[in-house]
């Protein structure tokens, strides 16, 4: 094969970027910025992951701090996605979303309303309540939820820009526990489905994409690894591998062998 | 300079009287583009910082983005 043929083949397999509202993303990983050992490590891991969208929490200013996360996140390279992490009811989540909009100058928010600190499972009732208020106020909402297909559909029908089901409980590293639920969510969705939470290692990311998810959001899987920067690289490749495998279309599983070389004319 | 007492992020403290939010943030070495401000639970928009004077007894919350993500 000539060089020209190789490059034309490559251009044919370039895929469409992901659209989230008005935003276009070429990387399908969204990466959290918590739990790193230093801002330098955060910066390097984000760069290595290839991400174009990073999620941040909102907290009271620490007046003793000498450095600031935003000194290490170039707004020209990354879209900053404020989240409502740490909120346990709709009112708090709405307040944090409004405050995040003031800092970030953007209507985009990742809505996350948790039920309790032990399970960190999403509270569906409070999430729906907060979603309605935020949509009324003009937000574009990326909504975190459990892997329940009924709830995912309700959140989409209400007007979520995308729905973000958990693969497994937050920070648990258990991967995608109920792939069938994610499949059902994907079959019925018309908005992007982004697996959020539960990713432990690269195969979990690949699996999410092989199922057909449009993106994956992760934090602890990278930040908690022994070598976060190398894991960030692994996650980037896992995303590409899984997404391409999905687009390529896997072969069906069969009970019996199928020879891969001709069996005649020896 | 006259002094007044306000509450900043849950802690009482004394500051100069008649400071605007802009002046107050400057005194704290905070860049206005990096924070959100609530006074008595009402969000003050950034373009109002220069006009909005702080008053005795105000409860002020100053918040910023921190690392956190998927999971805190």
């Amino acid at each position: 094969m000539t060089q020209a043929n190789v490059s034309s083949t490559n251009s044919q397999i370039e895929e469409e970027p992901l659209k989230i509202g008005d935003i276009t993303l070429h990387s399908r990983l969204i990466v959290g910025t918590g739990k790193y050992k230093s801002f330098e490590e955060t910066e390097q891991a984000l760069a290595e992951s290839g991400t174009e969208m990073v999620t941040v929490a909102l907290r009271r200013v620490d007046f003793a701090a000498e450095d600031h996360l935003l000194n290490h996140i170039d707004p020209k390279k990354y879209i900053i996605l404020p989240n409502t992490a740490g909120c346990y009811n709709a009112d708090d989540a709405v307040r944090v979303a409004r405050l995040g909009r003031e800092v970030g100058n953007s209507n985009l928010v990742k809505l996350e309303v948790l039920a309790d600190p032990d399970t960190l499972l999403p509270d569906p009732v409070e999430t729906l309540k907060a979603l309605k208020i935020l949509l009324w106020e003009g937000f574009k909402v990326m909504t975190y939820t459990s892997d329940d297909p009924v709830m995912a559909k309700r959140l989409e029908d209400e007007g979520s820009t995308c729905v973000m089901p958990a693969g497994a409980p937050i920070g648990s590293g258990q991967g995608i526990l109920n792939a069938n639920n994610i499949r059902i969510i994907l079959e019925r969705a018309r908005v992007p489905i982004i697996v959020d939470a539960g990713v432990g290692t690269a195969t979990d990311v690949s699996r999410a994409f092989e199922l057909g998810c449009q993106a994956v959001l992760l934090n602890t899987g990278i930040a908690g690894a022994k070598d976060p920067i190398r894991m960030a690289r692994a996650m980037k490749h896992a995303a590409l591998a899984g997404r391409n495998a999905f687009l390529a279309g896997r072969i069906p599983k069969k009970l019996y062998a199928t020879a891969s070389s001709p069996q005649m004319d020896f | 300079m006259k002094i007044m007492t306000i509450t900043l992020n849950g802690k009482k403290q004394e500051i100069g009287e008649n400071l605007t939010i802009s002046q107050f943030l400057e005194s704290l070495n905070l860049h206005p583009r990096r924070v959100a401000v609530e006074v008595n639970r009402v969000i003050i928009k950034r373009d109002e910082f220069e006009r909005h004077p702080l008053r005795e007894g105000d409860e002020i919350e100053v918040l910023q983005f921190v690392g956190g993500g998927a999971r805190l």
Side-chain angles (χ1 to χ4, degrees):
Chain A
M1 191 184 270
T2 65
Q3 193 58 43
N5 280 341
V6 172
S7 67
S8 75
T9 307
N10 283 345
S11 69
Q12 279 167 20
I13 63 166
E14 267 177 30
E15 67 156 315
E16 295 278 301
L18 172 64
K19 298 239 179 212
I20 297 177
D22 309 329
I23 291 168
T24 302
L25 296 175
H26 299 90
S27 163
R28 288 172 179 264
L29 282 185
I30 304 172
V31 181
T33 51
K35 292 185 177 172
Y36 290 93
K37 289 189 268 306
S38 66
F39 288 138
E40 285 71 25
E41 190 182 79
T42 313
E43 193 175 335
Q44 283 181 51
L46 294 179
E48 201 65 47
S49 76
T51 187
E52 292 171 344
M53 179 182 265
V54 300
T55 178
V56 296
L58 193 81
R59 292 290 179 275
R60 283 172 163 173
V61 167
D62 174 7
F63 295 102
E66 288 175 3
D67 202 356
H68 189 287
L69 175 69
L70 293 188
N71 293 334
H72 300 270
I73 296 179
D74 182 352
K76 290 191 206 80
K77 281 194 209 160
Y78 303 108
I79 288 156
I80 292 177
L81 172 64
N83 63 48
T84 62
C87 293
Y88 291 91
N89 60 63
D91 290 346
D92 284 352
V94 168
R95 173 179 175 243
V96 169
R98 288 171 180 156
L99 287 162
R101 176 161 65 178
E102 294 304 310
V103 189
N105 290 323
S106 156
N107 281 336
L108 197 65
V109 65
K110 184 197 142 186
L111 173 64
E112 152 175 344
V113 190
L114 305 181
D116 65 78
D118 295 327
T119 65
L120 297 181
L121 290 171
D123 183 324
V125 178
E126 292 296 307
T127 299
L128 189 62
K129 192 172 149 195
L131 175 64
K132 287 180 181 180
I133 298 168
L134 291 174
L135 291 171
W136 176 254
E137 295 186 6
F139 281 89
K140 291 209 159 99
V141 187
M142 300 167 69
T143 313
Y144 175 64
T145 177
S146 68
D147 61 7
D148 172 11
V150 178
M151 194 62 204
K153 195 66 191 159
R154 288 290 298 269
L155 295 170
E156 174 183 335
D157 291 347
E158 199 63 43
S160 296
T161 296
C162 52
V163 176
M164 310 179 81
I170 282 173
S172 69
Q174 297 183 63
I176 294 176
L177 288 179
N178 192 339
N180 287 340
N181 270 10
I182 301 290
R183 282 192 187 97
I184 294 169
I185 290 172
L186 283 163
E187 274 193 7
R188 308 194 322 163
R190 288 182 308 270
V191 296
I193 298 299
I194 300 175
V195 159
D196 177 1
V199 166
T201 187
T203 43
D204 300 335
V205 170
S206 292
R207 184 116 187 275
F209 284 108
E210 284 171 354
L211 289 170
C213 294
Q214 277 79 15
V216 169
L217 190 154
L218 76 169
N219 188 160
T220 310
I222 294 176
K226 278 186 193 155
D227 181 346
I229 294 155
R230 188 174 285 271
M231 187 58 93
R233 185 188 304 171
M235 296 304 191
K236 174 171 81 178
H237 290 295
L240 290 171
R243 179 69 182 164
N244 277 306
F246 170 73
L247 293 173
R250 61 154 299 151
I251 61 163
K253 290 182 183 177
K254 293 177 201 153
L255 186 57
Y256 288 95
T258 310
S260 55
S261 22
Q263 299 295 294
M264 310 268 287
D265 296 333
F266 285 102
Chain B
M1 185 172 70
K2 284 194 169 176
I3 297 291
M4 64 180 184
T5 305
I6 53 99
T7 304
L8 172 63
N9 289 355
K11 279 189 183 167
K12 280 202 185 335
Q13 70 177 65
E14 295 185 328
I15 63 168
E17 218 175 32
N18 298 323
L19 285 184
T20 64
I21 290 177
S22 288
Q23 290 164 330
F24 181 56
L25 293 176
E26 205 182 323
S27 75
L28 296 167
N29 275 326
L30 291 176
H31 198 295
R33 296 188 64 83
R34 286 203 173 164
V35 295
V37 177
E38 270 182 348
V39 177
N40 303 323
R41 302 288 281 186
V42 177
I43 292 174
I44 310 298
K45 299 264 175 202
R46 190 174 292 146
D47 56 14
E48 293 168 27
F49 285 178
E50 291 204 352
R51 293 194 293 274
H52 192 104
L54 296 173
R55 310 271 187 217
E56 175 76 31
D58 274 350
E59 294 192 3
I60 304 155
E61 291 284 324
V62 183
L63 301 109
Q64 66 181 5
F65 286 148
V66 298
R71 328 317 10 168
L72 266 183

